[in-house]
Amino acid sequence: MVKAFDFLTIEIILIFVVSNILHFFLQRHGQPSIISQILAGIMVGRTVLLNPKFSESSGNIVDYFSDVVLQARVVFMFIIGLEVDVVYLRQNIRRACSIALASISACMALSLAASPLLYPLLSRDGASRLLFILTIGLFLSNSASPVLVCIATDLKLVSSKIGKLAISSAVVNDLTAVVAFFLYSLQLRRSYSAVLSNGIPGKMLDLLVWVILVSLAMLLMKWYISNVEVGCVLIVVGGIIFFMEFVGYDNKTMSFLLGLAFPRKGPTARTILDKLMFSVHSIILPLYFSGVFVNYNLNVLVGKAARKMIGIAFLVSFLSMAGKVTGTVAVTRFIFKTRLRESVVLGILLNAKGYMDIMFLSVGLRYKLWGFDTAVVLMFTIIINTFIACPVARLIVAWERRAYRYNPQSLEHLGPDNQLCVLACVHGQREVPAMLTLCTLCAGNGWSLIAVYLLHLLELTQKYAVDLMNNQKSLNNSSWENDGDDVRQVSLAADSFSQDSGLFIKQLTTLSSYKSMNEDIYMGAEEVRACLVLLPFHKEQRYDRRMVCRKDEKRQLNLKVLQHAPCTIGILVDRPVGSGMSIGMYSTTASLRSARTSTANTDLETPATVTSSGPVHQIVAIFFGGPDDREAASLLARVAPHKSVNATLVRFLPNTEDTLSRNWSSRCTSEFALITEHDMQLERDEQFLTAYQHRYVASGIVTYAERQVNSGPETVTALSSMAGMYSLFIVGKGGPHLSTPMMAGIRDWEECPELGPIGDLLASDDFMDSGSVLIMQQHKVPTNKSRIHNDILR
């Protein structure tokens, strides 16, 4: 026993060393860690280092190692279930189910069509043809969501649209495979006279007990969310998992389902992920993927029959890929109108194989549907499919980054029916309510139209530098939240807001100096594919309603982000003393809470409506013309459908007679290029407003008004008459095209040019002391020269 334990320790150390060495070289070529871990399992397994003689002399070391891996898989599967985006899965359940079922049906049909070829090549003599076709069909149709989650996490594909859809479809596919395996194993036991003494009704009774236990566990976990330590939750999870294993069910599947059903709201789920993430990725993942392949000796693929067996493996892999791609394309291309390239890539990603496929291999071996050589061939097929999925995922990442950087990331081009991804940046707890209130209003009629990421911008001071050196705390580690510092306050404020409003918020933290903090915002926006980045204004409102600047570095940060903006940027000037966004937040959440409690059947996909106190926020968008003002109007269209919003669009127009009396010859000389761009923007403004009035104004969603002014002072007078009427002003930053008589002299008063002339005027203490202001700058697609410059900066 001691000798076996020594060899077991040596094998585990070898797996860690070999996997890290391989990953050091493979990561330079964009390969995720799963590839190096699979190769380490093959090298350290029976194939290279542990031949049968060595295994016997070491006390059957592989069996001991399998027991260790068995326990590691439980934690791994629970974490994988916890990492799945359940909110996206619930919002897109119809699409995910359609893709999963279509790919399963296509693979089952292909296995039936190819059975005359596969049955003589893979089956044992005397094996049931029907059971063989069913087993190989389940093997071909399964998609491994844990493997896909690992690949997507390593390559930062989790936040992309195609990555989320692939993971959601794989989860549905996995759940379908679990149910199919349960029914299939019952039928096999019945047909082979191996049913337990209590029979099928007894297993159904066990299943009922399983459902009751899961329900009770979920209730306990919801109760524990804000009061019990992480260890207590893990003890409850572990107890349920091992009890179900004692009853006779698979503990890996149970742990994955518990992680999938774990409540996402509150700090518990985030804390569990933060505390276990390093251990899972550094220790458990290498053991898991290496342990999968350590029991199979691929040396049987060497020799005279090697070509035939490898050819069969590639044939099975081709059939699996063909079924996945065919089913996925049939649904996404012709029903959901997805582009052909994305449909094919999605099908290849869903072809990744994993643990459920190994279970089907074990069933085939147990009931003598095929021999060990066939199992090795099918295991080699799993390796081929995983190796194919990794470069495809890397290709998707390259496509997504190129598309994000060089395509317009603006609300005007996004459209009102697509999901808006918002990266809300805060420096402290004070800015959280206003930012999240604005994000809640942007959801409009449904939570499916908004995805919110709260990025806490933490300055790297000497205190945090010492903590990092002494305690080795990571940015995503929940230990920050236990120190009573700014991170904990921001986290508690966001959790409280999420609980009251129902808005699902993903919290991120970055720690850097103000000089390089803009790079963190760029990378964060690109990683989550944000279409809108919200930044707080560098000034704060005091109790006497005066705006003061606490740190000038915040203003320099905003200037840097605006200069190389990766998407549309919004700077929020919050005035909490008065009728700003922070004040409206409390009445909004209170109304939402009362609406949820007074309604028996509340739709999870729709924010609760305000029925008692009426509209809370009076929001107006000021439109002079140009891309930034169109962006402001587009954001107004997003918030207008919300039940607690009265939305108004006010367009400022020059006097018609004054416009006709302008001297055309003077325009065509010194300002020819500028006027040409101005005329183009005027034409786009008219097209935009025509469509805007047809969709929003005619239906009564947005109120439309016009103001005619002849000069800058008249513009100022018209704006001053709106003071105190609205809780939020949405304005565009503007540009050179606003050099019109309406703006004459206003730029001379600018204190903060980054806000634009109108935004700076509305944010001024001398002009207005109530009502928040949101200044929008539309994303501009970089030209060839600026593309090269931006790539160098990033």
Side-chain angles (χ1 to χ4, degrees):
M1 182 66 184
V2 177
K3 185 177 181 181
F5 178 77
D6 293 338
F7 280 117
L8 177 62
T9 305
I10 293 174
E11 184 176 6
I12 294 176
I13 294 175
L14 282 175
I15 286 177
F16 291 151
V17 172
V18 173
S19 63
N20 281 280
I21 291 175
L22 291 175
H23 185 58
F24 176 76
F25 294 100
L26 292 178
Q27 69 177 350
R28 300 182 179 182
H29 302 284
Q31 295 297 330
S33 59
I34 182 177
I35 296 297
S36 59
Q37 290 157 4
I38 291 175
L39 293 176
I42 296 174
M43 295 176 63
V44 183
R46 286 175 174 167
T47 304
V48 178
L49 297 181
L50 300 182
N51 53 51
K53 294 181 180 180
F54 183 81
S55 179
E56 293 175 1
S57 64
S58 61
N60 204 5
I61 182 177
V62 175
D63 293 337
Y64 289 116
F65 180 72
S66 299
D67 294 337
V68 175
V69 172
L70 188 66
Q71 307 307 321
R73 289 175 185 169
V74 173
V75 181
F76 166 69
M77 296 296 286
F78 176 72
I79 294 298
I80 289 298
L82 202 59
E83 283 186 326
V84 173
D85 193 345
V86 179
V87 175
Y88 182 86
L89 177 60
R90 187 175 68 242
Q91 295 171 352
N92 297 270
I93 189 66
R94 175 173 170 265
R95 178 172 295 188
C97 289
S98 301
I99 294 174
L101 295 178
S103 60
I104 291 174
S105 302
C107 289
M108 295 296 291
L110 271 179
S111 65
L112 180 61
S115 60
L117 176 62
L118 296 179
Y119 183 77
L121 294 174
L122 299 177
S123 67
R124 267 188 174 184
D125 295 336
S128 172
R129 180 182 290 268
L130 179 61
L131 289 178
F132 174 83
I133 295 174
L134 183 58
T135 307
I136 201 69
L138 291 174
F139 175 83
L140 296 179
S141 61
N142 183 56
S143 298
S145 58
V147 175
L148 200 54
V149 168
C150 291
I151 295 174
T153 302
D154 279 357
L155 299 180
K156 300 186 182 301
L157 194 61
V158 178
S159 301
S160 67
K161 181 179 178 181
I162 191 171
K164 288 182 178 180
L165 186 57
I167 294 174
S168 301
S169 303
V171 169
V172 175
N173 200 317
D174 254 348
L175 296 178
T176 306
V178 170
V179 176
F181 180 78
F182 173 74
L183 300 175
Y184 176 62
S185 60
L186 286 182
Q187 182 60 32
L188 277 178
R189 292 177 182 180
R190 185 178 183 182
S191 60
Y192 281 87
S193 301
V195 186
L196 298 177
S197 59
N198 55 355
I200 301 291
K203 298 299 290 184
M204 291 301 180
L205 181 61
D206 292 341
L207 183 61
L208 179 61
V209 174
W210 178 83
V211 173
I212 294 174
L213 280 174
V214 172
S215 302
L216 291 176
M218 292 303 101
L219 291 176
L220 287 175
M221 289 173 190
K222 288 183 179 180
W223 181 263
Y224 289 157
I225 282 299
S226 58
N227 300 321
V228 181
E229 294 292 334
V230 176
C232 297
V233 176
L234 292 179
I235 290 174
V236 173
V237 173
I240 295 173
I241 290 172
F242 288 108
F243 175 79
M244 295 311 301
E245 184 183 12
F246 176 77
V247 172
Y249 292 97
D250 182 65
N251 58 2
K252 278 75 68 180
T253 303
M254 182 65 189
S255 59
F256 175 74
L257 294 177
L258 279 176
L260 197 64
F262 198 92
R264 297 312 199 264
K265 293 183 180 179
T268 302
R270 186 174 63 253
T271 303
I272 291 175
L273 279 175
D274 292 341
K275 285 186 175 296
L276 297 181
M277 191 60 63
F278 177 79
S279 300
V280 167
H281 284 275
S282 301
I283 300 175
I284 295 179
L285 273 182
L287 288 178
Y288 175 78
F289 289 113
S290 301
V292 169
F293 299 97
V294 80
N295 289 303
Y296 291 87
N297 188 359
L298 299 185
N299 286 329
V300 298
L301 299 178
V302 180
K304 296 181 179 179
R307 293 182 180 179
K308 178 182 177 181
M309 298 179 71
I310 293 176
I312 295 174
F314 276 99
L315 173 63
V316 176
S317 178
F318 172 77
L319 291 176
S320 177
M321 185 180 300
K324 289 293 183 182
V325 172
T326 302
T328 304
V329 170
V331 172
T332 57
R333 178 66 175 170
F334 300 106
I335 297 180
F336 299 110
K337 307 301 180 183
T338 307
R339 290 184 297 179
L340 180 61
R341 184 180 68 176
E342 294 181 358
S343 301
V344 173
V345 167
L346 182 60
I348 297 176
L349 283 179
L350 292 177
N351 195 39
K353 303 297 182 183
Y355 179 72
M356 286 303 301
D357 302 275
I358 299 174
M359 293 180 67
F360 289 127
L361 289 185
S362 302
V363 168
L365 286 173
R366 184 184 308 168
Y367 298 105
K368 299 180 180 180
L369 297 177
W370 49 63
F372 184 78
D373 291 349
T374 299
V376 172
V377 170
L378 295 179
M379 181 61 70
F380 189 62
T381 301
I382 295 176
I383 298 175
I384 294 174
N385 291 336
T386 305
F387 271 66
I388 292 176
C390 290
V392 170
R394 183 188 176 193
L395 184 63
I396 296 174
V397 172
W399 288 347
E400 293 280 348
R401 288 178 177 174
R402 191 180 302 112
Y404 182 81
R405 292 179 181 180
Y406 304 134
N407 286 327
Q409 304 296 329
S410 61
L411 278 72
E412 180 185 358
H413 296 88
L414 179 66
D417 299 326
N418 297 319
Q419 186 184 58
L420 173 64
C421 183
V422 181
L423 181 66
C425 304
V426 296
H427 296 281
Q429 184 270 341
R430 178 188 179 97
E431 299 148 353
V432 172
M435 284 290 184
L436 295 185
T437 300
L438 181 58
C439 294
T440 303
L441 299 181
C442 290
N445 282 330
W447 294 131
S448 61
L449 296 179
I450 190 74
V452 180
Y453 295 85
L454 183 66
L455 179 60
H456 186 190
L457 304 175
L458 199 61
E459 183 184 5
L460 180 60
T461 60
Q462 185 176 2
K463 172 183 177 295
Y464 287 117
V466 172
D467 289 340
L468 283 174
M469 294 177 62
N470 295 336
N471 301 325
Q472 296 297 316
K473 295 179 180 180
S474 61
L475 292 181
N476 292 325
N477 197 317
S478 59
S479 56
W480 287 112
E481 300 181 11
N482 299 326
D483 291 342
D485 54 9
D486 295 338
V487 178
R488 182 174 179 271
Q489 296 176 10
V490 170
S491 178
L492 291 177
D495 290 336
S496 176
F497 188 95
S498 178
Q499 184 178 1
D500 289 338
S501 65
L503 177 67
F504 184 75
I505 306 166
K506 294 184 179 179
Q507 300 185 40
L508 307 171
T509 304
T510 178
L511 181 62
S512 60
S513 62
Y514 279 108
K515 293 182 179 180
S516 60
M517 196 173 287
N518 60 309
E519 298 294 333
D520 295 333
I521 297 176
Y522 296 154
M523 289 188 292
E526 184 174 308
E527 183 175 341
V528 304
R529 273 70 173 177
C531 187
L532 173 63
V533 172
L534 294 177
L535 298 172
F537 189 46
H538 65 277
K539 290 185 178 181
E540 301 174 359
Q541 189 179 36
R542 296 188 311 193
Y543 64 94
D544 58 355
R545 300 194 176 190
R546 303 295 296 179
M547 302 292 291
V548 295
C549 177
R550 306 293 185 185
K551 283 188 176 182
D552 189 65
E553 290 86 352
K554 296 181 180 180
R555 181 186 183 185
Q556 300 302 320
L557 173 64
N558 291 348
L559 290 172
K560 291 180 182 179
V561 175
L562 288 171
Q563 186 177 4
H564 303 288
C567 59
T568 291
I569 304 296
I571 298 180
L572 179 61
V573 182
D574 184 36
R575 290 190 173 106
V577 183
S579 58
M581 296 297 294
S582 299
I583 295 299
M585 181 270 296
Y586 299 104
S587 55
T588 300
T589 53
S591 301
L592 290 173
R593 193 186 308 113
S594 62
R596 286 200 303 271
T597 55
S598 63
T599 305
N601 297 322
T602 303
D603 186 5
L604 293 177
E605 304 299 327
T606 306
T609 58
V610 179
T611 57
S612 58
S613 59
V616 176
H617 295 285
Q618 302 289 337
I619 301 179
V620 61
I622 310 297
F623 191 92
F624 284 89
D628 295 342
D629 285 2
R630 293 197 298 269
E631 199 73 355
S634 299
L635 183 63
L636 181 70
R638 283 273 178 175
V639 304
H642 199 280
K643 298 299 182 179
S644 63
V645 169
N646 271 345
T648 305
L649 177 65
V650 179
R651 185 184 186 186
F652 282 74
L653 292 170
N655 187 282
T656 306
E657 296 179 358
D658 180 70
T659 303
L660 294 176
S661 63
R662 285 181 295 179
N663 192 331
W664 175 257
S665 59
S666 62
R667 293 173 55 196
C668 294
T669 54
S670 60
E671 301 181 0
F672 179 75
L674 185 62
I675 294 302
T676 301
E677 175 65 21
H678 177 69
D679 293 338
M680 292 174 58
Q681 293 296 338
L682 283 178
E683 183 178 358
R684 294 178 184 176
D685 291 341
E686 294 300 329
Q687 295 175 355
F688 174 83
L689 288 176
T690 300
Y692 196 92
Q693 291 180 358
H694 178 73
R695 177 161 186 170
Y696 301 106
V697 178
S699 59
I701 300 177
V702 176
T703 303
Y704 179 76
E706 292 183 353
R707 297 284 184 93
Q708 290 190 351
V709 293
N710 296 324
S711 61
E714 292 186 9
T715 301
V716 174
T717 302
L719 290 173
S720 61
S721 65
M722 302 167 65
M725 298 174 57
Y726 301 98
S727 58
L728 178 64
F729 293 82
I730 307 177
V731 300
K733 178 185 175 184
H737 59 277
L738 289 182
S739 299
T740 61
M742 293 187 297
M743 308 297 295
I746 296 182
R747 290 186 179 274
D748 300 336
W749 307 336
E750 281 185 333
E751 181 182 358
C752 301
E754 67 271 18
L755 302 182
I758 303 301
D760 181 77
L761 184 65
L762 295 175
S764 174
D765 291 332
D766 300 328
F767 186 79
M768 187 182 300
D769 60 359
S770 64
S772 299
V773 185
L774 179 63
I775 296 90
M776 304 289 293
Q777 176 183 281
Q778 188 181 72
H779 175 244
K780 299 175 179 60
V781 180
T783 60
N784 292 332
K785 292 183 179 180
S786 59
R787 287 181 183 183
I788 299 175
H789 179 65
N790 290 341
D791 288 340
I792 293 175
L793 288 177
R794 295 176 184 172

